[in-house]
């Protein structure tokens, strides 16, 4: 009977969490924690229900992730970053609390629970952030283009050098793309870190910056025959960048 109580409780919790995840983009770890805590009050032979409890926790976690995966469909990068933030919070807070409560409830019979839950959540977190990084690469690729290259002036370049006072548009667009990326990640993920210890913001900025430099270099190489007269200028631009 108590095993059936466990199965029913986790099944009900999984449905609730799935709806919350797919509709609002929330990983309701508190609901899972409360479910485990309620079972500790309702059942008397919890050590005999350890398998049902472990499977139930995994079920709820998987349904949360499935719901979050459905939440991002037809939505922007902001939704993906929201899912990444929910997963990161779950890994850093909820997961620890749930594992501790289950360990207490089952007398330390669920040794693999933490690794199993972490694997499910981390898989979704990595997938969503990788998709976001690919979007960052596409965005910076469209911004870091040299644009129109003018022919050298007839006076040997003196007049052209005197008149060039504006900041290069392609550099301005590139820097703006990097700043926008930083603001987007900072707003959604604050200073959260991945499991490896690196912040999401650092990884996003590294991707954006590397993409800018790579695309500009590719563009310069493709137009090398047309920019010989301005090679020294573009060299200065790249050093500045």
């Amino acid at each position: 009977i108590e095993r059936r109580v466990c199965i029913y409780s986790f099944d009900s919790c999984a449905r609730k969490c799935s709806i919350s995840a797919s509709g609002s983009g929330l990983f309701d770890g508190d609901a899972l924690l409360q479910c485990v805590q309620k079972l500790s009050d309702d059942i008397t032979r919890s050590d005999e229900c350890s398998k049902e409890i472990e499977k139930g926790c995994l079920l709820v976690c998987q349904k949360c992730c499935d719901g979050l995966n459905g939440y991002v469909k037809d939505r922007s990068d902001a939704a993906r970053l929201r899912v990444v933030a929910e997963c990161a919070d779950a890994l850093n807070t909820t997961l620890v609390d749930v594992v501790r409560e289950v360990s207490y409830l089952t007398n330390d019979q669920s040794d693999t629970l933490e690794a199993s839950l972490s694997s499910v959540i981390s898989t979704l977190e990595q997938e969503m952030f990788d998709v976001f990084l690919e979007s960052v690469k596409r965005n910076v690729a469209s911004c870091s283009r040299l644009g129109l290259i003018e022919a050298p002036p007839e006076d040997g370049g003196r007049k052209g050098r005197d008149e060039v006072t504006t900041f290069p548009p392609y550099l301005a667009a590139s820097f703006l793309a990097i700043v926008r990326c930083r603001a987007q990640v900072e707003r959604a993920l604050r200073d959260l870190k991945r499991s490896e210890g690196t912040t999401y913001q650092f990884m996003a900025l590294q991707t954006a910056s590397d993409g800018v430099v790579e695309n500009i270099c590719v563009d310069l190489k493709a137009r090398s025959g047309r920019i010989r007269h301005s090679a020294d200028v573009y060299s200065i631009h790249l050093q500045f960048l």
Side-chain angles (χ1 to χ4, degrees):
I1 295 177
E2 291 192 342
R3 288 177 178 174
R4 292 180 180 177
V5 170
C6 291
I7 295 172
Y8 174 80
S9 297
F10 283 116
D11 186 62
S12 176
C13 180
R15 289 197 301 270
K16 175 185 175 183
C17 290
S18 177
I19 294 173
S20 179
S22 60
S24 305
L26 297 174
F27 190 107
D28 196 356
D30 289 338
L32 174 57
L33 181 61
Q34 291 170 9
C35 179
V36 175
Q37 290 173 338
K38 188 174 186 304
L39 283 175
S40 66
D41 296 330
D42 293 344
I43 61 179
T44 58
R45 292 177 293 180
S46 56
D47 54 327
E48 297 180 7
C49 305
S50 58
K51 290 184 178 179
E52 285 73 19
I53 293 173
E54 184 171 351
K55 290 180 180 179
C57 289
L58 282 172
L59 173 65
V60 175
C61 186
Q62 187 63 60
K63 289 297 183 180
C64 281
C65 290
D66 291 344
L68 290 174
N69 205 13
Y71 172 78
V72 301
K73 288 184 178 179
D74 301 323
R75 295 180 188 264
S76 65
D77 287 336
R80 294 185 181 88
L81 288 180
R82 178 187 178 91
V83 170
V84 172
E86 289 293 318
C87 290
D89 282 334
L91 288 170
N92 294 326
T93 57
T94 305
L95 179 62
V96 177
D97 295 336
V98 169
V99 170
R100 183 179 62 248
E101 195 69 27
V102 171
S103 178
Y104 170 77
L105 180 60
T106 61
N107 294 324
D108 298 325
Q109 293 187 35
S110 300
D111 297 335
T112 62
L113 179 61
E114 183 174 5
S116 300
L117 294 178
S118 179
S119 176
V120 172
I121 301 173
S122 296
T123 298
L124 177 63
E125 174 263 345
Q126 183 174 353
E127 178 185 346
M128 290 295 107
F129 198 62
D130 286 347
V131 172
F132 170 73
L133 292 181
E134 288 299 323
S135 176
V136 170
K137 292 179 182 178
R138 290 194 300 271
N139 290 337
V140 298
S142 64
C143 295
S144 52
R145 294 176 180 172
L146 301 182
L148 180 64
I149 297 179
E150 298 181 355
E154 297 180 357
D155 62 354
R158 188 186 312 109
K159 181 179 179 182
R161 285 194 295 268
D162 292 340
E163 290 180 351
V164 176
T165 58
T166 59
F167 194 75
Y170 77 96
L171 286 184
S174 298
F175 286 136
L176 183 58
I178 294 174
V179 171
R180 284 176 174 170
C181 174
R182 173 172 182 165
Q184 190 176 22
V185 176
E186 194 173 53
R187 182 171 57 251
L189 298 170
R190 307 178 298 282
D191 58 349
L192 290 173
K193 295 182 179 181
R194 302 193 78 175
S195 55
E196 307 89 34
T198 306
T199 63
Y200 292 97
Q201 185 179 103
F202 175 82
M203 296 185 65
L205 287 177
Q206 186 179 47
T207 300
S209 301
D210 288 349
V212 164
V213 175
E214 180 181 352
N215 282 284
I216 289 177
C217 288
V218 169
D219 207 359
L220 284 172
K221 186 175 182 179
R223 305 189 191 192
S224 58
R226 300 170 55 189
I227 62 173
R228 294 184 183 278
H229 63 281
S230 303
D232 57 337
V233 175
Y234 285 110
S235 176
I236 294 173
H237 289 179
L238 283 177
Q239 291 177 28
F240 174 72
L241 180 61

